[in-house]
Amino acid sequence: ATRDPAGRPLAGRTMLVTSGPTHEPIDPVRYIANRSSGKQGHAIARAAAAAGAAVTLVSGPVTLPDPPGVSVVHVESAREMLAAVEAALPVDVAVFAAAVADWRVASAGDQKIKKGAAGAPQLALVENPDILATVSKRTAGRPPLVVGFAAETQNVVTNAREKLARKGCDWIVANDVSADSGIAGGVMGGDSNSVHVVTADGVDSWPAQSKEEVARALVARIAAALKERT
Ligand code: CTP
Ligand code: CA
């Protein structure tokens, strides 16, 4: 593809995006999950494709259609998401917008757990792999630009700075998902988002805008950053 900085600033670039929740099985009919519509991650994949990038979208279970012009890999669990992400490398930029379940059931059963005299099951949980941290800390094949998300209900920027350091990514896009975020109906499942872009250089707080607008602004910022690094 030829570079057209005006309309297609990501022409010739490759991008990986994760989106949606993960489902962690308890048994064949039940699961643990995070709340996530996938709207923000899918919008980023769409905006990046419109900007000319070759995009791989690794999506957990969502009700959204696959964005046209994007290579979509469907997964269920965090471990499947990690494997799909690693298979998609190398890329120029990776954006981790998925709401990955932090824990899974230690030994998910092959058979449906039945109610009975034994009472409620005691589910032992184990921590899932941290996909963002795993990719950020790779020595070989680390994407030149790694962007994480953080959904916070309090101390949004402080928690985001702490996450940036702990995960080893380049940027954290932090959003306030508290009920008093100022966004009518809330961020979760809604169409609007109010984000702070936290980097080593400082914090950019963007006004509340649609998830589409956040996606386009983020893609523009990514294109500018990649251009700066050649
Ligand atoms: N993330 C990930 N793999 C996980 C957990 C989180 O890749 N197992 C990514 C998310 O996609 C997001 C970022 O890490 O880009 C931050 O997720 P978040 O849930 O806010 O951070 P955690 O480290 O899980 O911290 P906590 O949930 O305790 O706030
Ligand atoms: Ca988490």
Side-chain angles (χ1 to χ4, degrees), residues 7 9 17 27 44 46 72 92 95 114 141 153 165 172 185-186 192 217 229:
V17 181
D27 67 17
I44 292 165
R46 248 189 336 267
V72 185
D92 294 315
V95 179
K114 300 297 288 178
T153 57
I172 287 277
S192 294
R229 298 173 191 206

Side-chain angles (χ1 to χ4, degrees), residues 34 99-103 130 151 163 167:
N34 275 35
V100 182
D102 290 319
W103 304 283
D130 189 316
K163 256 170 209 174
K167 307 232 179 205

Side-chain angles (χ1 to χ4, degrees), residues 32-199:
I32 297 175
N34 275 35
R35 276 190 208 287
S36 171
S37 64
K39 282 179 184 171
Q40 186 64 77
H42 277 55
I44 292 165
R46 248 189 336 267
V55 182
T56 302
L57 173 63
V58 178
S59 177
V62 295
T63 56
L64 303 172
D66 289 352
V70 168
S71 164
V72 185
V73 183
H74 294 274
V75 299
E76 296 268 335
S77 68
R79 287 185 296 175
E80 289 168 11
M81 185 171 277
L82 175 60
V85 160
E86 290 188 319
L89 299 179
V91 291
D92 294 315
V93 53
V95 179
F96 294 91
V100 182
D102 290 319
W103 304 283
R104 67 175 181 275
V105 175
S107 52
D110 296 339
Q111 304 296 333
K112 183 181 175 186
I113 302 168
K114 300 297 288 178
K115 287 186 292 184
Q122 303 290 310
L123 299 176
L125 302 180
V126 293
E127 200 165 313
N128 270 328
D130 189 316
I131 302 165
L132 170 62
T134 303
V135 170
S136 295
K137 289 171 186 170
R138 279 174 76 104
T139 46
R142 182 194 189 275
L145 182 59
V146 180
V147 181
F149 268 71
E152 304 288 350
T153 57
Q154 55 183 348
N155 305 323
V156 179
V157 170
T158 307
N159 284 336
R161 281 188 202 284
E162 196 266 327
K163 256 170 209 174
L164 185 73
R166 180 157 46 86
K167 307 232 179 205
C169 58
D170 301 300
W171 303 353
I172 287 277
V173 180
N175 51 358
D176 183 348
V177 297
S178 62
D180 57 2
S181 65
I183 291 177
V187 168
M188 301 289 228
D191 292 318
S192 294
N193 211 353
S194 165
V195 307
H196 310 267
V197 182
V198 180
T199 73

